[in-house]
């Protein structure tokens, strides 16, 4: 087992000027499950391939444990990789597929059989060892690909979207299996996905990349509760966080007919940047739906209803709760908002709601730079 360090690792592809991965800095603990996530083209596979030795590193260094592996060939790094297209050998049995790397490495037959049987037990593949891959389900094939990596007992597992060939339901069950297997084996793992739900559910920590630049590395809980900037705020969470540009007023921000208090520090940080507005983030579950009468505290005028009026366009009923997709006018601009409501109080399509964000759940970002301003 080992730690993994990306020390300002940079990759510039030949013929390009902008780095595909720009000074990536992450320290991954021994036994940790780290997920790299971000939109297509952000540099996830490039980062993983640099760690695997399949891609040159043009700046910085990569270490596994104390070893500087920056310029070592893949075979000397003691890693095993599972790809999206895991391409099992169709003419070989499951057992032979799993043991192939050991056979190439010259391990004796009895030893290979022992390791394959152990791995098959862990992966629930024992009954299938003599079958050919075509006689397996997608999820079973996926586990054979994992088995090929496990038998090698590497210091580090690398996985690049290993579940993307599976259907939605199988993805969910397989991701739980992989996560619990990794915890049992305790092998340091770097896992790539573009799916933020997968990232949050599987990772001990999650690293978000955008345009080759690391945005934030954090626990799933912190990533959700304290996104470091507007990009992470919009990327992590489903349905996405509502992001609304609002004017700064004395002691807070003006949100429709309400003033929502915001810390002095955040407001003065915005002023320091010369901003007249801030961009507030509100998760769908952090709105209070208020009565239509003007009696609710926080209303600017006695007659006007508090908060922001939302015209309900679409309601998504999920049984336990529901999501309202509605249109609103914020500071004169049309804005789509998503509001979570209780499953037994879903409003009708076409009706109007008034919503106020909970002040203690408000995220505040600088409109000009996108940085988080609240703690
Ligand atoms: N061999 C290459 N030569 C030139 N540019 C490349 C090469 N491979 C990747 N790139 C570019 O580097 C950037 C990062 O690519 P990468 O494959 O790492 O993205 P990714 O995050 O894995 O995306 P996806 O989610 O689509 O797999 C992209 O802009 C891509 O076009
Ligand atoms: Mg990729």
């Amino acid at each position: 087992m080992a730690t993994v360090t990306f020390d300002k690792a940079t990759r510039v592809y030949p013929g390009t000027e902008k780095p595909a991965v720009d000074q990536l800095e992450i320290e991954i603990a021994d036994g940790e499950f780290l997920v790299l996530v971000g939109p297509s083209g952000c540099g996830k596979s490039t980062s993983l391939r640099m760690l695997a030795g399949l891609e040159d590193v043009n700046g910085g260094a990569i270490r596994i444990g104390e070893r500087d592996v920056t310029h070592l060939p893949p075979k000397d790094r003691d890693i095993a990789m599972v790809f999206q297209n895991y391409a099992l050998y169709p003419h070989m049995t499951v057992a032979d597929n799993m043991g192939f790397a050991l056979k190439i490495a010259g391990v004796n037959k009895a030893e290979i059989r022992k390791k394959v049987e152990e791995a098959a037990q862990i992966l629930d593949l024992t009954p299938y060892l003599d079958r050919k891959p075509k006689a397996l389900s997608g999820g079973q094939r996926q586990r054979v690909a994992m088995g090929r990596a496990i038998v090698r007992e590497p210091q580090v597992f690398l996985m690049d979207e290993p579940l993307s060939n599976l259907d939605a339901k199988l993805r969910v069950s397989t991701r739980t299996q992989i996560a619990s297997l990794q915890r049992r084996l305790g092998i340091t793992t770097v896992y790539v996905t573009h799916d933020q739900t997968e990232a949050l559910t599987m990772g001990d920590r999650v690293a978000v990349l955008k345009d080759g630049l690391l945005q934030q590395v954090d626990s799933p809980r912190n990533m959700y509760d304290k996104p470091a900037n507007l990009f992470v705020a919009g990327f992590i969470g489903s349905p996405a966080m509502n992001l609304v540009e609002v004017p700064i007023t004395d002691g807070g921000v003006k949100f429709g007919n309400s003033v929502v208090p915001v810390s002095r520090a955040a407001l003065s940080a915005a002023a320091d940047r010369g901003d007249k507005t801030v961009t507030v983030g509100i998760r769908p579950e952090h709105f209070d739906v208020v009565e239509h009468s003007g009696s609710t505290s926080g209303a600017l005028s006695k007659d006007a209803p508090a908060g922001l009026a939302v015209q309900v366009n679409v309601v998504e009923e999920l049984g336990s709760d529901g999501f309202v997709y509605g249109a609103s006018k914020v500071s004169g601009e049309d804005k789509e908002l998503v509001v979570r409501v209780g499953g037994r109080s879903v409003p009708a399509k076409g009706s109007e709601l008034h919503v106020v964000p909970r002040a203690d759940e408000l995220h505040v970002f600088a409109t000009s730079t996108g940085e988080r301003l609240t703690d």
Side-chain angles (χ1 to χ4, degrees), residues 48-67:
L48 205 65
R49 291 169 57 81
M50 285 197 289
L51 173 54
L54 301 172
E55 212 65 75
D56 285 346
V57 178
N58 306 108
I62 295 180
R63 288 186 290 280
I64 298 177
E66 299 298 307
R67 285 188 304 149

Side-chain angles (χ1 to χ4, degrees), residues 44-45 160-161 192:
K44 305 180 293 296
S45 295
D160 195 347
E161 312 232 10
V192 162

Side-chain angles (χ1 to χ4, degrees), residues 11-16 18-21 36-49 55 84 160-161 192-195 209 211-212:
R11 173 60 176 152
V12 185
Y13 282 108
T16 65
K18 204 172 122 346
V21 174
L36 284 176
V37 69
S40 184
C42 71
K44 305 180 293 296
S45 295
T46 303
S47 304
L48 205 65
R49 291 169 57 81
E55 212 65 75
Q84 169 182 351
D160 195 347
E161 312 232 10
V192 162
T193 179
H194 61 270
D195 179 337
L209 286 174
D211 297 336

Side-chain angles (χ1 to χ4, degrees), residues 129-332:
L129 280 175
D130 295 324
R131 286 203 200 170
K132 299 276 173 63
K134 69 171 188 301
L136 299 177
S137 72
Q140 289 162 344
R141 278 182 219 156
Q142 217 302 317
R143 297 213 296 278
V144 176
M146 290 286 297
R148 287 199 302 202
I150 290 175
V151 294
R152 296 173 52 193
E153 297 170 13
Q155 284 197 310
V156 185
F157 278 139
L158 308 185
M159 304 187 198
D160 195 347
E161 312 232 10
L163 306 184
S164 50
N165 286 345
L166 305 182
D167 66 43
K169 200 166 168 199
L170 199 53
R171 274 182 86 125
V172 173
S173 59
T174 312
R175 83 182 177 217
T176 324
Q177 284 172 354
I178 292 183
S180 74
L181 179 66
Q182 189 275 342
R183 255 132 234 167
R184 224 169 344 133
L185 298 174
I187 295 178
T188 312
T189 300
V190 187
Y191 184 103
V192 162
T193 179
H194 61 270
D195 179 337
Q196 59 87 31
T197 310
E198 208 165 284
L200 292 180
T201 52
M202 295 180 85
D204 293 319
R205 281 189 308 157
V206 176
V208 177
L209 286 174
K210 180 197 172 215
D211 297 336
L213 292 166
L214 181 64
Q215 306 291 302
Q216 186 172 1
V217 196
D218 231 322
S219 67
R221 175 46 55 200
N222 277 343
M223 199 61 97
Y224 191 83
D225 287 347
K226 292 184 191 296
N229 59 39
L230 277 174
F231 177 79
V232 177
F235 188 76
I236 296 288
S238 173
M241 185 187 280
N242 297 284
L243 296 168
V244 189
E245 188 181 339
V246 291
I248 299 170
T249 65
D250 196 25
V253 294
K254 194 162 176 296
F255 197 86
N257 293 322
S258 298
V259 170
V260 181
V262 168
S263 75
R264 292 266 160 220
L267 294 180
S268 71
D272 290 347
R273 287 166 179 74
D275 291 358
K276 299 248 178 318
T277 66
V278 289
T279 300
V280 297
I282 308 122
R283 296 235 176 251
E285 65 270 32
H286 293 150
F287 280 113
D288 284 319
V289 177
V290 296
E291 294 304 319
H292 287 217
S293 75
S295 61
T296 315
S297 62
L300 286 182
S301 122
K302 277 215 163 54
D303 307 319
L308 199 62
V310 180
Q311 304 297 326
V312 178
N313 289 332
V314 176
V315 288
E316 232 174 54
E317 294 214 39
L318 301 175
S320 58
D321 49 23
F323 289 103
V324 172
Y325 295 80
S328 192
K329 261 209 181 348
V330 188
S331 317

